[in-house]
């Protein structure tokens, strides 16, 4: 059954999904790798569509897969599919350009975070709605972090109390993200980094363990376990 997005919602979600995902091993583009028998992208879009304030979802797909991705997602939700770029930033910019008039909040979400719960989508959107220009979901860093120099020599131990692991979706006022991409120079893999370069304050909200990024075979195995357990 196809999910229905909220025509009165104020949120558009951009999903850059054109990456190859070489660290996951050879095969199809990362977003189209299977998790529990369905592509990561299908899982991600299904959860985005379940967030009550989402008005529009735009997916930037590999150029050769645009028609296939459009057909793949048709039974899941009414999604706009555009051709992505060679770099993530280009894919986000292409998706942003396809957002219709209306939504004032833009979220950018990795398809590889396929199990991200709708509640996290709503939490990020709510923080932007409450007046923040840019919002990222984060988790505390739990491992000990060492600074290592030449020859694998430890230079010191980093204070992890001020460190956070960043997740997606990242949220922005539409005008803020549009301005950041218009002024973008060097390609960055993090949209919050783009707006930081424009002097915009980025705020944090608590992330979710389920929003893990599926990058390596181990991550995929963990996601399979979480999915089987009802995640």
């Amino acid at each position: 059954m196809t999910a229905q997005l909220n025509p009165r919602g104020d949120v558009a979600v951009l999903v850059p999904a054109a990456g190859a995902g070489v660290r996951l091993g050879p095969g199809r583009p990362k977003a189209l790798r299977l998790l529990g028998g369905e592509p990561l992208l299908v899982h991600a879009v299904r959860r985005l569509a379940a967030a009550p304030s989402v008005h529009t979802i735009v997916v930037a797909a590999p150029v050769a897969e645009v028609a296939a991705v459009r057909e793949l997602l048709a039974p899941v939700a009414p999604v706009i599919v555009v051709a992505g770029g060679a770099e993530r930033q280009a894919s986000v910019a292409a998706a942003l350009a396809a957002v219709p008039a209306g939504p004032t909040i833009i979220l950018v979400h990795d398809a590889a975070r396929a199990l991200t719960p709708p509640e996290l989508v709503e939490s990020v959107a709510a923080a932007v709605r409450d007046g923040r220009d840019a919002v990222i979901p984060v988790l505390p860093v739990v491992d000990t972090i060492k600074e290592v120099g030449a020859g694998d020599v430890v230079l010191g131990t980093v204070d992890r109390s001020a460190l956070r692991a960043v997740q997606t979706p990242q949220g922005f006022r539409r005008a803020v993200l549009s301005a950041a991409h218009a002024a973008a120079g060097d390609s960055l893999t993090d949209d919050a980094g783009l707006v930081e370069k424009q002097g915009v304050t980025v705020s944090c909200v608590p992330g979710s363990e389920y929003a893990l990024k599926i990058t390596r075979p181990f991550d995929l195995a963990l996601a399979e376990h979480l999915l089987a357990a009802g995640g």
Side-chain angles (χ1 to χ4, degrees):
M1 181 177 179
T2 304
Q4 298 302 310
L5 303 182
N6 183 1
R8 297 183 179 179
D10 59 355
V11 175
V13 188
L14 316 182
V15 185
V22 293
R23 285 175 290 180
L24 198 54
R28 300 195 72 189
K30 185 201 291 189
L32 301 180
R33 305 291 181 94
L34 297 184
L35 168 63
E38 293 185 303
L40 298 178
L41 182 59
V42 168
H43 289 281
V45 168
R46 183 179 293 127
R47 285 161 174 76
L48 293 171
S53 61
V54 172
H55 174 283
T56 300
I57 300 173
V58 184
V59 173
V63 173
E65 303 277 359
V66 170
V69 168
R70 190 174 288 127
E71 183 178 353
L72 174 72
L73 295 176
V76 182
V79 174
I80 300 169
V81 181
V82 300
E87 303 290 341
R88 184 182 188 279
Q89 186 175 313
S91 292
V92 173
L96 181 60
V99 176
T104 56
I105 297 171
I106 305 294
L107 306 187
V108 184
H109 185 54
D110 295 330
R113 299 184 188 273
L115 300 183
T116 299
E119 293 79 11
L120 184 58
V121 176
E122 289 298 305
S123 175
V124 173
V128 179
R129 195 177 294 120
D130 286 345
R132 305 184 195 183
D133 286 332
V135 178
I136 56 175
V138 301
L139 291 176
V141 174
V142 296
D143 291 327
T144 297
I145 305 296
K146 298 287 188 181
E147 182 183 0
V148 178
D152 292 331
V153 174
V154 172
L155 302 180
T157 302
V158 179
D159 179 8
R160 69 186 181 198
S161 65
L163 301 180
R164 298 293 184 270
V166 180
Q167 300 179 318
T168 70
Q170 298 182 356
F172 310 89
R173 285 197 302 110
R174 184 170 184 166
V176 167
L177 186 61
S178 296
H181 274 274
D186 297 336
S187 180
L188 295 178
T189 59
D190 176 76
D191 291 277
L194 281 182
V195 302
E196 286 170 32
K197 292 183 72 171
Q198 300 304 307
V200 175
T201 298
V202 178
S203 302
C204 301
V205 297
S208 168
E209 298 286 358
Y210 284 92
L212 75 158
K213 188 174 184 180
I214 300 172
T215 300
R216 306 158 298 165
F218 177 83
D219 304 324
L220 187 59
L222 176 57
E224 291 276 6
H225 173 76
L226 293 173
L227 185 65

